[in-house]
Amino acid sequence: MTQPVTIIMIEDDEGHARLIERNIRRSGVNNEIVSFQNGTDAMMHLFGADRSGLVQKGNALLILLDLNLPDMTGIDILKQIKENKFLKASPVVVLTTTDDSQEIKRCYELGCNVYITKPVNYENFANAIRQLGLFFSVIQVPPAAT
């Protein structure tokens, strides 16, 4: 039996978060979405109080990560996820307004699986998220290390 995938969304802009969730749902993805507006809360959820990541053992996660957060950078979060034995296999989709080629390169070098620049236009943004939802509906996500 396949483990249900939980989508972890780390996005500080409430409007973007609502738009992302609504358009993922419109594409037919009904997985649980757990939202965080800052890196501190997201890191506590992902890594647990002991910061080991053991709390996620056996869970299948897909992480949507904004790079521009109020309390820490998404790059730091990405790095810690990909260095953690329990979380490193979890796909990370960077979804951000930043289109700097050096930052894109760095994210891929650190292990992000997909890098998407948020379109500025509302309709284009909504369409991009619906397409991302279709992608989510067909990818396979491994559970965290056991």
Side-chain angles (χ1 to χ4, degrees):
M1 184 170 150
T2 306
Q3 170 84 11
V5 177
T6 299
I7 298 171
I8 305 293
M9 178 170 47
I10 309 168
E11 169 62 68
D12 65 317
D13 184 308
E14 285 184 55
H16 284 180
R18 282 193 306 273
L19 182 66
I20 291 166
E21 183 167 356
R22 183 170 49 248
N23 284 288
I24 286 174
R25 298 286 183 229
R26 283 183 181 159
S27 69
V29 173
N30 295 313
N31 299 57
E32 178 183 12
I33 298 176
V34 181
S35 247
F36 298 95
Q37 290 187 330
N38 63 65
T40 303
D41 292 344
M43 295 295 279
M44 180 60 76
H45 178 81
L46 289 169
F47 290 91
D50 68 357
R51 309 272 305 141
S52 70
L54 181 62
V55 68
Q56 298 301 338
K57 183 178 174 180
N59 294 336
L61 305 176
L62 186 144
I63 301 163
L64 288 177
L65 178 62
D66 186 8
L67 294 183
N68 305 308
L69 299 167
D71 56 345
M72 65 179 64
T73 71
I75 296 274
D76 290 336
I77 294 170
L78 173 63
K79 189 173 190 299
Q80 290 179 59
I81 289 168
K82 292 304 182 177
E83 289 174 349
N84 182 275
K85 71 179 181 178
F86 298 107
L87 296 169
K88 67 182 175 185
S90 298
V92 176
V93 175
V94 172
L95 187 59
T96 188
T97 55
T98 308
D99 66 354
D100 176 81
S101 61
Q102 288 302 103
E103 195 153 277
I104 294 168
K105 181 176 185 254
R106 180 140 189 252
C107 285
Y108 279 113
E109 287 171 348
L110 289 172
C112 96
N113 300 84
V114 179
Y115 190 107
I116 299 171
T117 302
K118 295 177 190 172
V120 176
N121 172 283
Y122 174 86
E123 195 53 45
N124 290 345
F125 187 26
N127 187 47
I129 299 304
R130 279 192 294 274
Q131 289 178 30
L132 183 62
L134 293 172
F135 174 68
F136 289 166
S137 70
V138 297
I139 65 170
Q140 298 294 312
V141 176
T146 55

